[in-house]
Amino acid sequence: MTEEIHPSNHPPLPPTTEDDRVAWLRLLRSRRVGPATFYRLLSENGNIHAALAALPELARSPGAKDYTPCPIGVVEAEMESARALGAHLICRSDTAYPDLLAQTPDAPPAFWALGKLELLSRPSISVVGARNASSLGLRMTRALCKDLGEQQGHIVVSGLARGIDAAAHKAALDHGTIAVMAGGVDFVYPADNTDLARKIAHVGLLISEQPMGLQPRARHFPSRNRIISGMSRALVVVEAAAKSGSLITARTALDQGREVLAVPGHPFDARASGCNMLIRDGATLVRGGEDIREVLQGLSPTRAPVAPLAIDPTPEPVDSPPPAERHTPEDTRALHQTILDRLGPTPLAEDQLIRDLGTPASRVTPMLTDMEIDGQITRHPGGLLSRSA
């Protein structure tokens, strides 16, 4: 199990003013600040303005020079673009933020939403699959998603890709669908789904954690996938090759504690190999909507709502704590080098790294944040770390 990256027991206050939301977005858009660093700064400093002020000093500590947070003008331009489009910024501490997504260890601190915000509070099922989908796969997707909406009252979450994703959105338009985008909510990829995206924005919801206007790159899709799986109690994979983005989404769903279901296919069809592997490894076999219904009936409707992030402005006094353990610069440099030695290009779970080091998490976690900001390590969805190239 990955370590929580927003460790405070006292929930941080949500951004209530325009100034707060600008600061929230500035911290999130600053170089090398991912969810883990964002939550750590917010937790340690008590409010978003103090967290933003603390960032340059934190970035300088490992040797980075001339580090400055994201300029206010960049964020104001992004927010102006969002206003012109009609998009809303949903922060991790807002009441509109989906409860299930908030419970994932690397939940996005904020995302843009364009369309019907009320869909964020409705029960949902995520559906993904192959881009080069077969006719049978597309038929199955349409039947499942129609059943999920008409008979089960669920909205369908997918990634607006070609093939299975697009078929899932189209079949669910009349009953509710959410498209999670790898680029900005105003940049449709692939372009041939532009008309579909326009319809979803009108009757459903487009969401993205990326800045407005951003053209997606390869590294954005795995991050997008963790949101697709994190928003729902279950993920259905219709067609997927043995090495595909849909299989990555399925693994992420398992890491998040979600149910994974898969539609079987012919052993000679490469598009079915991933689904057949999932079923072999314990995923629920799906023949129709009734199989999904049986799984959902065994799950709790939702978990308890997550408290908004914040820290008490006036913490209660505590008894005198034990003196902090002292570490020499040599100790710090040695741990820094040991972390680099333990990490490679293959991602490793952060909690596994801490166990391997045999060093308290309270000492390792701040150093990992410093190394991330300095560009020496890279964070991946699911609480994974790798050494930067």
mmCIF file of all heavy atoms in Angstrom, residues 77-112:
data_model
loop_
_atom_site.group_PDB
_atom_site.id
_atom_site.type_symbol
_atom_site.label_atom_id
_atom_site.label_comp_id
_atom_site.label_asym_id
_atom_site.label_seq_id
_atom_site.Cartn_x
_atom_site.Cartn_y
_atom_site.Cartn_z
ATOM 1 N N ALA A 77 -3.749 34.302 -16.785
ATOM 2 C CA ALA A 77 -4.113 34.082 -18.182
ATOM 3 C C ALA A 77 -4.858 32.760 -18.342
ATOM 4 O O ALA A 77 -5.835 32.672 -19.111
ATOM 5 C CB ALA A 77 -2.861 34.089 -19.060
ATOM 6 N N GLU A 78 -4.417 31.740 -17.621
ATOM 7 C CA GLU A 78 -5.106 30.447 -17.677
ATOM 8 C C GLU A 78 -6.533 30.562 -17.144
ATOM 9 O O GLU A 78 -7.479 30.022 -17.730
ATOM 10 C CB GLU A 78 -4.331 29.401 -16.879
ATOM 11 C CG GLU A 78 -4.991 28.032 -16.893
ATOM 12 C CD GLU A 78 -4.203 26.977 -16.130
ATOM 13 O OE1 GLU A 78 -3.068 27.255 -15.697
ATOM 14 O OE2 GLU A 78 -4.727 25.858 -15.967
ATOM 15 N N MET A 79 -6.687 31.282 -16.034
ATOM 16 C CA MET A 79 -8.013 31.435 -15.452
ATOM 17 C C MET A 79 -8.921 32.272 -16.345
ATOM 18 O O MET A 79 -10.123 32.022 -16.436
ATOM 19 C CB MET A 79 -7.899 32.047 -14.056
ATOM 20 C CG MET A 79 -7.128 31.161 -13.087
ATOM 21 S SD MET A 79 -7.039 31.789 -11.402
ATOM 22 C CE MET A 79 -8.666 31.344 -10.782
ATOM 23 N N GLU A 80 -8.354 33.240 -17.044
ATOM 24 C CA GLU A 80 -9.147 34.049 -17.968
ATOM 25 C C GLU A 80 -9.621 33.197 -19.148
ATOM 26 O O GLU A 80 -10.762 33.305 -19.592
ATOM 27 C CB GLU A 80 -8.325 35.237 -18.470
ATOM 28 C CG GLU A 80 -9.078 36.158 -19.419
ATOM 29 C CD GLU A 80 -10.363 36.709 -18.808
ATOM 30 O OE1 GLU A 80 -10.383 36.996 -17.593
ATOM 31 O OE2 GLU A 80 -11.357 36.851 -19.557
ATOM 32 N N SER A 81 -8.728 32.318 -19.640
ATOM 33 C CA SER A 81 -9.115 31.404 -20.719
ATOM 34 C C SER A 81 -10.237 30.479 -20.261
ATOM 35 O O SER A 81 -11.173 30.187 -21.019
ATOM 36 C CB SER A 81 -7.909 30.580 -21.171
ATOM 37 O OG SER A 81 -6.900 31.396 -21.727
ATOM 38 N N ALA A 82 -10.147 30.024 -19.019
ATOM 39 C CA ALA A 82 -11.182 29.142 -18.481
ATOM 40 C C ALA A 82 -12.515 29.869 -18.361
ATOM 41 O O ALA A 82 -13.572 29.304 -18.682
ATOM 42 C CB ALA A 82 -10.746 28.604 -17.119
ATOM 43 N N ARG A 83 -12.478 31.113 -17.902
ATOM 44 C CA ARG A 83 -13.720 31.891 -17.788
ATOM 45 C C ARG A 83 -14.364 32.082 -19.154
ATOM 46 O O ARG A 83 -15.587 31.980 -19.299
ATOM 47 C CB ARG A 83 -13.431 33.242 -17.130
ATOM 48 C CG ARG A 83 -13.351 33.183 -15.613
ATOM 49 C CD ARG A 83 -13.355 34.582 -15.010
ATOM 50 N NE ARG A 83 -12.102 35.266 -15.276
ATOM 51 C CZ ARG A 83 -11.053 35.249 -14.450
ATOM 52 N NH1 ARG A 83 -11.112 34.567 -13.310
ATOM 53 N NH2 ARG A 83 -9.941 35.892 -14.755
ATOM 54 N N ALA A 84 -13.540 32.364 -20.162
ATOM 55 C CA ALA A 84 -14.081 32.573 -21.503
ATOM 56 C C ALA A 84 -14.731 31.299 -22.040
ATOM 57 O O ALA A 84 -15.722 31.356 -22.775
ATOM 58 C CB ALA A 84 -12.959 33.029 -22.443
ATOM 59 N N LEU A 85 -14.190 30.154 -21.654
ATOM 60 C CA LEU A 85 -14.730 28.874 -22.106
ATOM 61 C C LEU A 85 -15.916 28.418 -21.271
ATOM 62 O O LEU A 85 -16.756 27.643 -21.731
ATOM 63 C CB LEU A 85 -13.620 27.813 -22.054
ATOM 64 C CG LEU A 85 -13.932 26.431 -22.629
ATOM 65 C CD1 LEU A 85 -14.128 26.517 -24.134
ATOM 66 C CD2 LEU A 85 -12.813 25.448 -22.293
ATOM 67 N N GLY A 86 -15.992 28.906 -20.018
ATOM 68 C CA GLY A 86 -17.043 28.460 -19.108
ATOM 69 C C GLY A 86 -16.615 27.309 -18.225
ATOM 70 O O GLY A 86 -17.459 26.619 -17.643
ATOM 71 N N ALA A 87 -15.294 27.079 -18.110
ATOM 72 C CA ALA A 87 -14.784 25.980 -17.292
ATOM 73 C C ALA A 87 -14.651 26.417 -15.840
ATOM 74 O O ALA A 87 -14.454 27.602 -15.535
ATOM 75 C CB ALA A 87 -13.426 25.513 -17.815
ATOM 76 N N HIS A 88 -14.743 25.452 -14.922
ATOM 77 C CA HIS A 88 -14.660 25.705 -13.489
ATOM 78 C C HIS A 88 -13.458 24.987 -12.900
ATOM 79 O O HIS A 88 -13.180 23.833 -13.254
ATOM 80 C CB HIS A 88 -15.935 25.222 -12.783
ATOM 81 C CG HIS A 88 -17.181 25.903 -13.248
ATOM 82 N ND1 HIS A 88 -17.660 27.061 -12.675
ATOM 83 C CD2 HIS A 88 -18.045 25.596 -14.247
ATOM 84 C CE1 HIS A 88 -18.759 27.438 -13.294
ATOM 85 N NE2 HIS A 88 -19.015 26.560 -14.244
ATOM 86 N N LEU A 89 -12.758 25.640 -11.978
ATOM 87 C CA LEU A 89 -11.642 25.024 -11.276
ATOM 88 C C LEU A 89 -12.184 24.306 -10.043
ATOM 89 O O LEU A 89 -12.766 24.929 -9.156
ATOM 90 C CB LEU A 89 -10.620 26.087 -10.858
ATOM 91 C CG LEU A 89 -9.357 25.554 -10.171
ATOM 92 C CD1 LEU A 89 -8.537 24.703 -11.136
ATOM 93 C CD2 LEU A 89 -8.513 26.717 -9.627
ATOM 94 N N ILE A 90 -11.987 22.990 -9.984
ATOM 95 C CA ILE A 90 -12.426 22.183 -8.850
ATOM 96 C C ILE A 90 -11.196 21.788 -8.047
ATOM 97 O O ILE A 90 -10.354 21.016 -8.515
ATOM 98 C CB ILE A 90 -13.178 20.921 -9.315
ATOM 99 C CG1 ILE A 90 -14.291 21.289 -10.299
ATOM 100 C CG2 ILE A 90 -13.721 20.159 -8.119
ATOM 101 C CD1 ILE A 90 -15.368 22.164 -9.723
ATOM 102 N N CYS A 91 -11.067 22.333 -6.833
ATOM 103 C CA CYS A 91 -9.917 22.056 -5.984
ATOM 104 C C CYS A 91 -10.196 20.866 -5.068
ATOM 105 O O CYS A 91 -11.348 20.553 -4.761
ATOM 106 C CB CYS A 91 -9.559 23.286 -5.148
ATOM 107 S SG CYS A 91 -9.018 24.698 -6.149
ATOM 108 N N ARG A 92 -9.129 20.249 -4.615
ATOM 109 C CA ARG A 92 -9.219 19.033 -3.798
ATOM 110 C C ARG A 92 -10.091 19.224 -2.561
ATOM 111 O O ARG A 92 -10.710 18.284 -2.065
ATOM 112 C CB ARG A 92 -7.804 18.594 -3.413
ATOM 113 C CG ARG A 92 -7.638 17.600 -2.300
ATOM 114 C CD ARG A 92 -8.251 16.253 -2.621
ATOM 115 N NE ARG A 92 -8.032 15.317 -1.537
ATOM 116 C CZ ARG A 92 -8.670 15.320 -0.383
ATOM 117 N NH1 ARG A 92 -9.571 16.254 -0.141
ATOM 118 N NH2 ARG A 92 -8.405 14.426 0.540
ATOM 119 N N SER A 93 -10.180 20.427 -2.067
ATOM 120 C CA SER A 93 -10.944 20.681 -0.853
ATOM 121 C C SER A 93 -12.342 21.207 -1.131
ATOM 122 O O SER A 93 -13.094 21.480 -0.197
ATOM 123 C CB SER A 93 -10.189 21.687 0.021
ATOM 124 O OG SER A 93 -9.816 22.809 -0.752
ATOM 125 N N ASP A 94 -12.739 21.348 -2.402
ATOM 126 C CA ASP A 94 -14.081 21.817 -2.732
ATOM 127 C C ASP A 94 -15.105 20.704 -2.516
ATOM 128 O O ASP A 94 -14.807 19.525 -2.691
ATOM 129 C CB ASP A 94 -14.150 22.271 -4.194
ATOM 130 C CG ASP A 94 -13.352 23.540 -4.454
ATOM 131 O OD1 ASP A 94 -13.072 24.271 -3.489
ATOM 132 O OD2 ASP A 94 -13.006 23.790 -5.629
ATOM 133 N N THR A 95 -16.316 21.090 -2.174
ATOM 134 C CA THR A 95 -17.364 20.092 -1.955
ATOM 135 C C THR A 95 -17.721 19.360 -3.248
ATOM 136 O O THR A 95 -18.220 18.235 -3.206
ATOM 137 C CB THR A 95 -18.625 20.749 -1.389
ATOM 138 O OG1 THR A 95 -19.050 21.804 -2.269
ATOM 139 C CG2 THR A 95 -18.358 21.337 -0.004
ATOM 140 N N ALA A 96 -17.482 19.969 -4.404
ATOM 141 C CA ALA A 96 -17.797 19.322 -5.673
ATOM 142 C C ALA A 96 -16.791 18.253 -6.065
ATOM 143 O O ALA A 96 -17.045 17.465 -6.975
ATOM 144 C CB ALA A 96 -17.877 20.371 -6.787
ATOM 145 N N TYR A 97 -15.648 18.204 -5.389
ATOM 146 C CA TYR A 97 -14.606 17.241 -5.735
ATOM 147 C C TYR A 97 -15.104 15.829 -5.444
ATOM 148 O O TYR A 97 -15.637 15.551 -4.368
ATOM 149 C CB TYR A 97 -13.346 17.530 -4.918
ATOM 150 C CG TYR A 97 -12.076 16.907 -5.448
ATOM 151 C CD1 TYR A 97 -11.170 17.651 -6.179
ATOM 152 C CD2 TYR A 97 -11.779 15.569 -5.215
ATOM 153 C CE1 TYR A 97 -9.992 17.095 -6.652
ATOM 154 C CE2 TYR A 97 -10.609 14.996 -5.683
ATOM 155 C CZ TYR A 97 -9.723 15.768 -6.405
ATOM 156 O OH TYR A 97 -8.554 15.200 -6.876
ATOM 157 N N PRO A 98 -14.960 14.887 -6.391
ATOM 158 C CA PRO A 98 -15.497 13.529 -6.191
ATOM 159 C C PRO A 98 -14.862 12.827 -4.989
ATOM 160 O O PRO A 98 -13.633 12.801 -4.847
ATOM 161 C CB PRO A 98 -15.135 12.803 -7.491
ATOM 162 C CG PRO A 98 -14.892 13.885 -8.493
ATOM 163 C CD PRO A 98 -14.353 15.043 -7.722
ATOM 164 N N ASP A 99 -15.687 12.252 -4.122
ATOM 165 C CA ASP A 99 -15.187 11.596 -2.917
ATOM 166 C C ASP A 99 -14.225 10.454 -3.229
ATOM 167 O O ASP A 99 -13.177 10.316 -2.592
ATOM 168 C CB ASP A 99 -16.360 11.055 -2.082
ATOM 169 C CG ASP A 99 -17.184 12.173 -1.466
ATOM 170 O OD1 ASP A 99 -16.637 13.281 -1.312
ATOM 171 O OD2 ASP A 99 -18.353 11.935 -1.137
ATOM 172 N N LEU A 100 -14.585 9.607 -4.182
ATOM 173 C CA LEU A 100 -13.735 8.458 -4.487
ATOM 174 C C LEU A 100 -12.369 8.895 -5.007
ATOM 175 O O LEU A 100 -11.338 8.337 -4.612
ATOM 176 C CB LEU A 100 -14.423 7.556 -5.510
ATOM 177 C CG LEU A 100 -15.545 6.667 -4.976
ATOM 178 C CD1 LEU A 100 -16.282 5.992 -6.134
ATOM 179 C CD2 LEU A 100 -14.992 5.610 -4.020
ATOM 180 N N LEU A 101 -12.340 9.888 -5.869
ATOM 181 C CA LEU A 101 -11.067 10.371 -6.393
ATOM 182 C C LEU A 101 -10.225 10.976 -5.283
ATOM 183 O O LEU A 101 -9.000 10.810 -5.251
ATOM 184 C CB LEU A 101 -11.317 11.408 -7.495
ATOM 185 C CG LEU A 101 -10.071 11.967 -8.185
ATOM 186 C CD1 LEU A 101 -9.277 10.866 -8.868
ATOM 187 C CD2 LEU A 101 -10.460 13.047 -9.198
ATOM 188 N N ALA A 102 -10.862 11.669 -4.353
ATOM 189 C CA ALA A 102 -10.135 12.292 -3.243
ATOM 190 C C ALA A 102 -9.438 11.268 -2.365
ATOM 191 O O ALA A 102 -8.464 11.593 -1.679
ATOM 192 C CB ALA A 102 -11.095 13.134 -2.405
ATOM 193 N N GLN A 103 -9.911 10.025 -2.367
ATOM 194 C CA GLN A 103 -9.323 8.995 -1.518
ATOM 195 C C GLN A 103 -8.106 8.339 -2.142
ATOM 196 O O GLN A 103 -7.422 7.553 -1.479
ATOM 197 C CB GLN A 103 -10.385 7.939 -1.197
ATOM 198 C CG GLN A 103 -11.513 8.473 -0.333
ATOM 199 C CD GLN A 103 -12.734 7.584 -0.353
ATOM 200 O OE1 GLN A 103 -12.668 6.429 -0.758
ATOM 201 N NE2 GLN A 103 -13.868 8.111 0.070
ATOM 202 N N THR A 104 -7.806 8.615 -3.406
ATOM 203 C CA THR A 104 -6.625 8.032 -4.033
ATOM 204 C C THR A 104 -5.376 8.753 -3.534
ATOM 205 O O THR A 104 -5.411 9.944 -3.242
ATOM 206 C CB THR A 104 -6.709 8.127 -5.566
ATOM 207 O OG1 THR A 104 -6.819 9.503 -5.955
ATOM 208 C CG2 THR A 104 -7.926 7.368 -6.078
ATOM 209 N N PRO A 105 -4.245 8.037 -3.399
ATOM 210 C CA PRO A 105 -3.054 8.634 -2.779
ATOM 211 C C PRO A 105 -2.457 9.783 -3.566
ATOM 212 O O PRO A 105 -1.799 10.641 -2.988
ATOM 213 C CB PRO A 105 -2.075 7.455 -2.683
ATOM 214 C CG PRO A 105 -2.546 6.469 -3.678
ATOM 215 C CD PRO A 105 -4.031 6.615 -3.756
ATOM 216 N N ASP A 106 -2.645 9.804 -4.890
ATOM 217 C CA ASP A 106 -2.093 10.898 -5.698
ATOM 218 C C ASP A 106 -3.206 11.659 -6.404
ATOM 219 O O ASP A 106 -3.099 12.015 -7.571
ATOM 220 C CB ASP A 106 -1.066 10.376 -6.699
ATOM 221 C CG ASP A 106 -1.580 9.178 -7.493
ATOM 222 O OD1 ASP A 106 -2.756 8.797 -7.294
ATOM 223 O OD2 ASP A 106 -0.821 8.623 -8.303
ATOM 224 N N ALA A 107 -4.274 11.928 -5.666
ATOM 225 C CA ALA A 107 -5.401 12.681 -6.222
ATOM 226 C C ALA A 107 -4.932 14.041 -6.732
ATOM 227 O O ALA A 107 -4.133 14.713 -6.076
ATOM 228 C CB ALA A 107 -6.476 12.875 -5.150
ATOM 229 N N PRO A 108 -5.393 14.469 -7.902
ATOM 230 C CA PRO A 108 -4.980 15.783 -8.405
ATOM 231 C C PRO A 108 -5.430 16.893 -7.451
ATOM 232 O O PRO A 108 -6.596 16.901 -7.042
ATOM 233 C CB PRO A 108 -5.687 15.887 -9.759
ATOM 234 C CG PRO A 108 -6.781 14.884 -9.723
ATOM 235 C CD PRO A 108 -6.332 13.786 -8.824
ATOM 236 N N PRO A 109 -4.545 17.809 -7.087
ATOM 237 C CA PRO A 109 -4.957 18.904 -6.209
ATOM 238 C C PRO A 109 -6.063 19.771 -6.796
ATOM 239 O O PRO A 109 -6.808 20.392 -6.052
ATOM 240 C CB PRO A 109 -3.662 19.716 -6.022
ATOM 241 C CG PRO A 109 -2.566 18.712 -6.217
ATOM 242 C CD PRO A 109 -3.070 17.812 -7.304
ATOM 243 N N ALA A 110 -6.167 19.792 -8.118
ATOM 244 C CA ALA A 110 -7.232 20.572 -8.771
ATOM 245 C C ALA A 110 -7.388 20.085 -10.191
ATOM 246 O O ALA A 110 -6.461 19.517 -10.779
ATOM 247 C CB ALA A 110 -6.904 22.066 -8.754
ATOM 248 N N PHE A 111 -8.568 20.310 -10.763
ATOM 249 C CA PHE A 111 -8.770 20.024 -12.185
ATOM 250 C C PHE A 111 -9.805 20.995 -12.735
ATOM 251 O O PHE A 111 -10.617 21.552 -12.000
ATOM 252 C CB PHE A 111 -9.203 18.563 -12.428
ATOM 253 C CG PHE A 111 -10.485 18.144 -11.742
ATOM 254 C CD1 PHE A 111 -11.726 18.457 -12.296
ATOM 255 C CD2 PHE A 111 -10.447 17.426 -10.558
ATOM 256 C CE1 PHE A 111 -12.906 18.051 -11.677
ATOM 257 C CE2 PHE A 111 -11.618 17.021 -9.926
ATOM 258 C CZ PHE A 111 -12.846 17.337 -10.484
ATOM 259 N N TRP A 112 -9.745 21.192 -14.055
ATOM 260 C CA TRP A 112 -10.731 22.015 -14.737
ATOM 261 C C TRP A 112 -11.897 21.140 -15.166
ATOM 262 O O TRP A 112 -11.708 19.993 -15.587
ATOM 263 C CB TRP A 112 -10.126 22.693 -15.970
ATOM 264 C CG TRP A 112 -9.164 23.785 -15.650
ATOM 265 C CD1 TRP A 112 -7.804 23.762 -15.803
ATOM 266 C CD2 TRP A 112 -9.474 25.074 -15.104
ATOM 267 N NE1 TRP A 112 -7.243 24.943 -15.394
ATOM 268 C CE2 TRP A 112 -8.249 25.777 -14.961
ATOM 269 C CE3 TRP A 112 -10.661 25.702 -14.727
ATOM 270 C CZ2 TRP A 112 -8.186 27.066 -14.455
ATOM 271 C CZ3 TRP A 112 -10.593 26.991 -14.221
ATOM 272 C CH2 TRP A 112 -9.374 27.666 -14.095
#
